[in-house]
């Protein structure tokens, strides 16, 4: 059995950052275990790195955990499809690449429950992370490891129609929603560099993978956290049907994501005593917060048939694809070099809101024919179309994640519990109304043939709500299932992310977020991992 100073479970957004920072000190021996394959394998590597490859990886079991929720009671009993990355880079290797830090108020709220996570604590870290390609600004970082691409000159021309539609309704325009003006609409910033996806595997791991004190093992699924003298002393994992073990002299760090981390803890006897007893698992540390507090952004959109060409026209048919491919090869630009979200931003659903409470998305493509139970993504409409969508920024519905058996292969139970609060339901209605207003505003109205969905027949609140229940989708931001907090009664980890009552174990991933940030979650994950690395290194 090998011994390391640190064992990191999961090479996702957070795990790759930790592997880099912890192994930067040559005295530390670091083992990074990832259940999925390398992101550089033949063919898969191609789609992982090509930004538009997002659609290809969306349901690909070789790089994706393809979770499913339980029947959601407030979404007409639908089981929602939840993709999660299972590959070096984790979900940052399969995500839609929108870069959003969240609002200062998000982190003031974190700081209320876990001291040391206020905006003043985290803002300098965001700057250190970023390699921002846009205009030089004191609010942005320009020489960090993580590329953030300014799409100002590359976003589809119709993005301008979307932005003008929004400003005509009185919403402000922002030139940098991650800088000083987080309110308003503009072009999205993306984790892309030189036309290729900038996952954390690419930004943090590959440049340092040959360090002699870092061992990276792929296709290695951690099956157990091992106990010794009432502390977590190491892990067991399976690779090609064989079981392996390693010992962690200092700590095991769970970075298996908001689903994976609580599941591993529950299997190790850390969790709700009722659940563990029911499944015949000895309770090693009772804490019912493990797997609870699950949060996610729920989104909805309207699809429009366009009277002018959209990205559909640039991606459909071999002549168009060949042209896009040639442009990409020559310049690393064009439709293949971007994700589907070209513009959007943060707006207030009503003037009385103190800060924005809706995130908007403009996607200059449409894909309304869905494979069953998945959010449609791969099959583009064979005519010009686009989507205008939104999600509430700070939903108040809470769900949970639980193992269902001692058997590793048994699917977990995921209850998102979407729309279980009136706050969330009202915001979905207001969001749908705002999408409609945007489409009716002249800059967009003049390029719309007709609304394909929900369609003109859907007008009343009840009809709109029924549409939301039948069509809303995850925005892929599950978090909160091992939340941090100063009070061990309602937290899983403390403010330094050590698991309360379980020596030798830390959690560093989206599961420690006490509340979901107002924007997308990848940037906050990277920030959390950067800060956690500092905390860990200071301890050892
Ligand atoms: C389809 C999709 C689109 C998204 N779009 C955006 C976006 O546009 N912008 C944005 O900011 N965010 C987006 N997100 C969310 C964002 O990518 C995630 O919040 C973030 O990557 C989560 O980071 P993490 O480190 O917590 O987990 P992950 O990055 O998911 O990493 C967890 C890693 O642990 C591994 N793992 C799990 N269990 C085990 C085990 N037992 N043994 C070994 N390894 C294990 C997994 O395979 C994975 O590699 C999207 C996510 C998805 C899935």
């Amino acid at each position: 059995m090998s011994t390391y100073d640190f064992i990191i479970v999961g090479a996702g957004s957070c795990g790759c950052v930790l592997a880099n920072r912890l192994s930067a000190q040559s005295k530390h021996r670091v083992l990074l275990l990832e259940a999925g394959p390398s992101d550089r394998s033949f063919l898969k590597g191609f789609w992982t790195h090509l930004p538009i490859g997002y659609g290809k990886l969306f349901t690909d079991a070789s790089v994706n955990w393809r979770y499913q929720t339980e029947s959601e009671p407030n979404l007409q009993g639908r089981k929602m499809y939840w993709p999660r990355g299972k590959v070096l880079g984790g979900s940052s290797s399969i995500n839609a690449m929108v870069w959003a830090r969240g609002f200062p108020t998000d982190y003031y709220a974190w700081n209320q429950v876990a001291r040391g996570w206020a905006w003043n604590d985290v803002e300098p870290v965001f700057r250190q992370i970023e390699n921002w390609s846009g205009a030089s600004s004191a609010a942005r970082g320009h020489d960090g490891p993580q590329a953030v691409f300014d799409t100002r000159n590359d976003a589809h021309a119709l993005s301008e129609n979307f932005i003008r539609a929004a400003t005509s309704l009185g919403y402000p325009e922002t030139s940098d929603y991650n800088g000083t003006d987080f309110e308003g609409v503009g072009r999205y910033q993306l984790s892309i560099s030189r036309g290729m996806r900038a996952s954390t595997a690419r930004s943090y791991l590959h440049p340092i993978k040959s360090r002699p004190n870092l061992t990276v093992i792929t296709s290695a699924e951690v099956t157990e956290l091992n106990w010794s003298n009432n502390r977590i002393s190491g892990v067991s994992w399976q690779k090609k049907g064989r079981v392996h073990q390693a010992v962690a002299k200092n700590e095991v760090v769970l970075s298996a994501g908001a689903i994976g981390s609580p599941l591993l803890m529950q299997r190790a006897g850390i969790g709700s005593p009722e659940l563990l007893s029911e499944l015949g698992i000895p309770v090693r540390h009772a804490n019912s917060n493990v797997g609870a507090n699950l949060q996610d952004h729920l989104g909805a959109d309207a699809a429009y048939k366009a009277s002018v060409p959209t990205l559909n026209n640039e991606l459909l048919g071999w002549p168009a694809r060949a042209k896009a491919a040639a442009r990409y090869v020559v310049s690393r630009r064009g439709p293949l070099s971007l994700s589907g979200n070209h513009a959007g931003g943060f707006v207030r659903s009503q003037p009385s809101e103190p800060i924005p409470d809706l995130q908007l998305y403009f996607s200059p493509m449409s894909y309304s024919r869905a494979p069953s139970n998945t959010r449609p993504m791969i099959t583009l409409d064979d005519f010009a179309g686009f989507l205008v969508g939104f999600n509430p920024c700070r939903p108040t519905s809470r769900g949970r994640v639980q193992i269902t058996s001692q058997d590793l292969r048994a699917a977990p139970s995921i209850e998102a519990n979407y729309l279980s609060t009136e706050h969330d339901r009202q915001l979905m209605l207001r969001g749908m109304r705002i999408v409609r207003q945007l489409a009716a505003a002249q800059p967009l109205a003049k390029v719309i043939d007709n609304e394909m969905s929900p369609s003109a027949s859907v007008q009343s609140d009840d009809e709109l709500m029924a549409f939301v229940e039948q069509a809303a989708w995850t925005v892929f931001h599950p978090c909160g299932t091992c939340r941090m907090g100063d009070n061990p009664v309602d937290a899983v980890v403390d403010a330094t992310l050590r698991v309360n009552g379980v020596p030798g174990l830390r959690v560093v991933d989206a599961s420690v977020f006490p509340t979901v940030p107002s924007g997308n979650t990848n940037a906050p994950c990277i920030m959390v991992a950067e800060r956690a690395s500092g905390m860990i290194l200071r301890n050892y």
Side-chain angles (χ1 to χ4, degrees), residues 10 12-14 34-35 65 83 85 90-91 95-98 222 509-510 520-522:
S13 294
C14 293
E34 168 53 46
W65 291 87
S91 297
N95 72 10
M97 293 160 279
V98 172
V222 172
D509 58 28
N520 313 68
T521 43
N522 190 41

Side-chain angles (χ1 to χ4, degrees), residues 341-424:
N341 300 306
H342 285 221
F346 299 93
V347 300
R348 302 176 203 217
S349 66
Q350 49 191 10
S352 57
E353 294 300 330
I355 54 170
D357 54 351
L358 288 178
Q359 182 169 3
L360 301 177
Y361 292 89
F362 174 73
S363 177
M365 54 164 81
S366 66
Y367 32 81
S368 48
R369 286 163 302 178
S372 84
N373 264 336
T374 65
R375 187 179 156 201
M377 196 60 62
I378 302 153
T379 324
L380 289 176
D381 290 326
D382 56 6
F383 47 81
F386 60 81
L387 304 174
V388 185
F390 73 96
N391 67 255
C393 290
R394 293 172 297 281
T396 51
S397 299
R398 299 288 181 264
R400 64 175 186 184
V401 176
Q402 289 186 342
I403 50 170
T404 53
S405 156
Q406 288 194 39
D407 178 1
L408 187 70
R409 304 286 147 209
S413 164
I414 302 173
E415 294 171 76
N417 217 9
Y418 291 118
L419 301 188
S420 54
T421 65
E422 193 50 28
H423 166 271
D424 294 358

Side-chain angles (χ1 to χ4, degrees), residues 232 252 254 265 270 285 287 290 482 492-494 496-507:
I232 294 295
V252 170
L254 291 182
M265 288 171 74
I270 308 163
H285 181 75
N287 187 338
V290 176
C482 301
V492 175
V493 298
D494 66 17
T496 66
L497 313 187
R498 274 190 287 227
V499 178
N500 290 319
V502 185
L505 188 62
R506 214 181 279 249
V507 185

Side-chain angles (χ1 to χ4, degrees), residues 45-95:
F46 176 75
W47 292 119
T48 315
H49 290 97
L50 188 72
I52 203 77
Y54 171 65
K56 291 274 180 204
L57 306 173
F58 194 69
T59 53
D60 183 337
S62 67
V63 293
N64 196 322
W65 291 87
R66 295 161 40 114
Y67 289 115
Q68 220 167 33
T69 68
E70 301 292 330
S71 292
E72 284 294 317
N74 305 311
L75 295 179
Q76 300 186 356
R78 284 188 292 144
K79 288 177 183 264
M80 309 289 278
Y81 174 64
W82 275 21
R84 295 278 97 201
K86 187 182 187 181
V87 56
L88 286 187
S91 297
S92 76
S93 285
I94 69 161
N95 72 10

Side-chain angles (χ1 to χ4, degrees), residues 8-66:
I8 303 163
V9 179
S13 294
C14 293
C16 289
V17 175
L18 285 167
N20 180 319
R21 298 307 186 202
L22 299 185
S23 67
Q25 297 199 355
S26 56
K27 67 176 181 180
H28 294 313
R29 291 192 66 213
V30 178
L31 172 63
L32 176 64
L33 295 167
E34 168 53 46
S38 168
D39 60 324
R40 293 195 159 170
S41 60
F42 181 67
L43 205 59
K44 286 289 145 37
F46 176 75
W47 292 119
T48 315
H49 290 97
L50 188 72
I52 203 77
Y54 171 65
K56 291 274 180 204
L57 306 173
F58 194 69
T59 53
D60 183 337
S62 67
V63 293
N64 196 322
W65 291 87
R66 295 161 40 114

